[in-house]
Amino acid sequence: MKNYQNKDIIVHWFPELCSHPGTCLKTLPKVFNLNQRPWVNVNAAEPEAIIKTIDQCPSGALRY
C-alpha cells in the first residue's frame, strides 16, 4: 500500500488490487496522472472531488 496525503485527505493505493481500468485517470486527470511523480497529487483538487472519483474505483485499489 502507498499513501498520498495532505492535511485534508489521505489516499491509499493498493497496487496489487488495481485492475487498471483507468477510471481514476479519466475522471480526475489533474490528480491521477501517470506522467507525473508521484502519480497521485492530492493537492490538485478538492477532497470532495477526490473522494467522488475514488468511490468509482471498480477494483477497490484506491481508498481514502
Side-chain angles (χ1 to χ4, degrees), residues 39-51:
W39 79 279
V40 178
N41 179 1
V42 294
N43 297 311
E46 294 297 319
E48 295 80 12
I50 297 171
I51 289 167

Side-chain angles (χ1 to χ4, degrees), residues 16-35:
E16 68 278 3
L17 297 178
C18 187
S19 59
H20 305 286
T23 304
C24 58
L25 304 173
K26 295 172 199 161
T27 305
L28 200 58
K30 60 187 176 183
V31 172
F32 302 99
N33 183 339
L34 296 177
N35 295 318

Side-chain angles (χ1 to χ4, degrees), residues 2-13 23-33 36 39-58 61-64:
K2 295 186 180 190
N3 295 311
Y4 306 92
Q5 69 183 65
N6 63 22
K7 66 180 182 66
D8 299 314
I9 191 167
I10 301 172
V11 173
H12 309 284
W13 179 49
T23 304
C24 58
L25 304 173
K26 295 172 199 161
T27 305
L28 200 58
K30 60 187 176 183
V31 172
F32 302 99
N33 183 339
Q36 67 186 17
W39 79 279
V40 178
N41 179 1
V42 294
N43 297 311
E46 294 297 319
E48 295 80 12
I50 297 171
I51 289 167
K52 186 176 178 182
T53 299
I54 289 173
D55 285 344
Q56 297 176 49
C57 179
L62 290 169
R63 301 177 192 176
Y64 53 91

